């Protein structure tokens, strides 16, 4: 059940997105938990994990990143997929559990590209260009050592990746019963690799300036919209930082951001999910405006979800004043799956501890007991 508005705050006001009603402005951000079977099938542990957030008062839950094909999309061992009926039927149980607790749930669809470190379907990796990713594989997601050198993805493989997103979205809506679709265009994965200047050196239509590099994300949105129809909420997650490059900033700064958000506003997307480490801070060094504010200014028609260290109510309210329609909590929700109820009742929040995600970031018994 959603939290009563015991304290006056905009986060506890209702809103809606494409006919989907939310009792408050609080959502759970997608978080990689690598707790599916080796076949990418969600189990009972994941059902319980997702349902807790709805029981705790969050009006919207966004799933962890779900891989979209049985070729190059899977990123991590233990990651769930939406590539066949078995996976979709299993997701239906989690979706039904969230609905039974009064919440809505979106499926986040992703392709790992060059950051793939645990894909049983392929032994090699692909990216927009043959450029080794920065950093090292993520040990918390069962990785070890440097990332593999990716092979440059071909035009045919790009088309197959786009179709993978569309097919997964169709399964998510028609079989699993998700309420909406979020395309993962952020955090260093395939779509963000195309979007990023130093990982995309292509000379064809998929490379070039910031809008050209954004082209694959826009094509995926078009294909997914065609697959799910006009009435289902559809959006894109965008970030500057990446799981393997936390401090990255768009070289084109405010001007580039304006062009990107304007292009997104003209796409089939209904919402944008903008994530930064601290969402209220200026997007660029020496600047004065946050990425949330830039999104609101240049994509005024889009429903705007903001994520980034917003587990403090005052910060969440500040970002809503900057233009966010909804706040997405990550680690704050992880340790406080009942954050809306606790905050509404002025109760103390549990502090986040890194041990929750150690040594592997799978779902722990201690979390399910919260």
């Amino acid at each position: 059940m959603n939290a009563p508005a015991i304290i006056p705050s905009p986060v506890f006001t209702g809103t809606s997105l494409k006919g989907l009603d939310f009792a408050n402005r609080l959502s759970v951000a997608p978080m990689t938990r690598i707790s599916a079977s080796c076949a990418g099938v969600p189990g009972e542990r994941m059902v319980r994990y997702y349902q807790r957030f709805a029981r705790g008062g969050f009006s919207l839950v966004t799933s962890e990143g779900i891989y979209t094909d049985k070729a190059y999309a899977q990123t991590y061992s233990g990651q769930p997929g939406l590539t066949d009926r078995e996976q979709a039927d299993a997701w239906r149980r989690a979706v039904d559990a969230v609905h039974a607790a009064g919440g809505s749930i979106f499926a986040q669809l992703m392709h790992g590209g060059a950051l793939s470190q645990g894909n049983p379907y392929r032994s090699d990796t692909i990216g927009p260009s043959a450029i080794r990713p920065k950093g090292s594989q993520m040990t918390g997601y069962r990785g070890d050592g440097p990332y593999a050198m990716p092979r440059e993805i071909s035009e045919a493989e790009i088309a197959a990746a786009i179709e993978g997103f569309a097919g997964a979205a169709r399964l998510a809506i028609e079989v699993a019963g998700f309420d909406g679709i979020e395309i993962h265009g952020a955090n260093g994965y395939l779509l963000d690799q195309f979007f990023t200047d130093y990982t995309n050196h292509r000379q064809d239509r998929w490379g070039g300036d910031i809008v050209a590099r954004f082209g694959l994300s826009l094509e995926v949105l078009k294909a997914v919209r065609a697959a799910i129809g006009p009435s289902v909420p559809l959006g894109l997650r965008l970030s500057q930082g990446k799981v393997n490059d936390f401090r990255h900033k768009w070289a084109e700064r405010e001007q580039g951001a304006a062009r990107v958000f304007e292009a997104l506003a003209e796409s089939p997307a209904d919402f944008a999910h903008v994530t930064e480490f601290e969402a209220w801070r200026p997007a660029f060094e020496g600047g004065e405006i946050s990425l949330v504010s830039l999104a609101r200014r240049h994509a005024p028609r889009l429903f705007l979800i903001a994520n980034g260290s917003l587990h403090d109510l005052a910060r969440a309210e500040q970002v809503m004043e900057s233009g966010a329609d909804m706040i997405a909590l990550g680690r704050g929700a992880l340790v406080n799956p009942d954050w809306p109820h606790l905050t509404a009742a002025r109760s103390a929040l549990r502090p986040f501890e890194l041990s929750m995600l150690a040594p592997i970031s799978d779902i722990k018994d201690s979390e399910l007991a919260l």
Side-chain angles (χ1 to χ4, degrees), residues 250 252-259 283-284 286-289 294 298:
W250 300 344
E252 298 85 351
R253 295 177 58 92
E254 289 89 350
Q255 273 194 322
R259 297 182 66 202
F284 304 102
E288 297 181 351
I289 188 168
L294 286 164
H298 297 288

Side-chain angles (χ1 to χ4, degrees), residues 194-341:
F194 270 83
F195 183 57
T196 300
D197 50 7
Y198 70 79
T199 52
N200 182 351
H201 290 178
R202 299 178 73 97
Q203 301 299 311
D204 58 10
R205 65 181 176 130
W206 305 110
D209 70 9
I210 193 168
V211 174
R213 300 194 310 269
F214 193 48
L216 182 56
S217 294
L218 298 175
E219 288 301 313
V220 168
L221 287 168
K222 290 177 186 176
V224 170
R225 174 57 76 208
I228 63 177
S231 62
V232 178
L234 171 64
L236 181 75
R237 191 178 210 223
L238 280 169
S239 71
Q240 297 197 90
K242 312 173 190 309
V243 295
N244 63 322
D245 185 7
F246 295 144
R247 300 183 183 280
H248 176 73
K249 297 290 185 180
W250 300 344
E252 298 85 351
R253 295 177 58 92
E254 289 89 350
Q255 273 194 322
R259 297 182 66 202
V260 167
F261 289 122
E262 287 165 1
L264 187 59
E266 294 174 0
S267 80
D270 303 302
F271 70 91
H273 183 174
V274 175
T275 178
E276 294 264 70
F277 177 63
E278 293 177 326
W280 62 90
R281 295 197 182 278
F284 304 102
E285 186 175 355
E288 297 181 351
I289 188 168
S290 68
L291 204 61
V292 172
S293 295
L294 286 164
R296 175 50 65 223
R297 177 183 296 176
H298 297 288
R301 78 163 185 86
L302 295 180
F303 187 93
L304 185 56
I305 303 173
N307 168 244
S309 305
L310 298 177
H311 43 273
D312 177 77
L313 179 61
R315 290 298 191 192
E317 292 173 339
Q318 177 185 350
V319 170
M320 284 193 66
E321 290 176 5
S322 298
D325 295 294
M326 182 168 277
I327 300 299
L329 301 185
R331 62 184 184 275
L334 202 62
V335 71
N336 296 287
D338 50 355
W339 191 99
H341 286 164

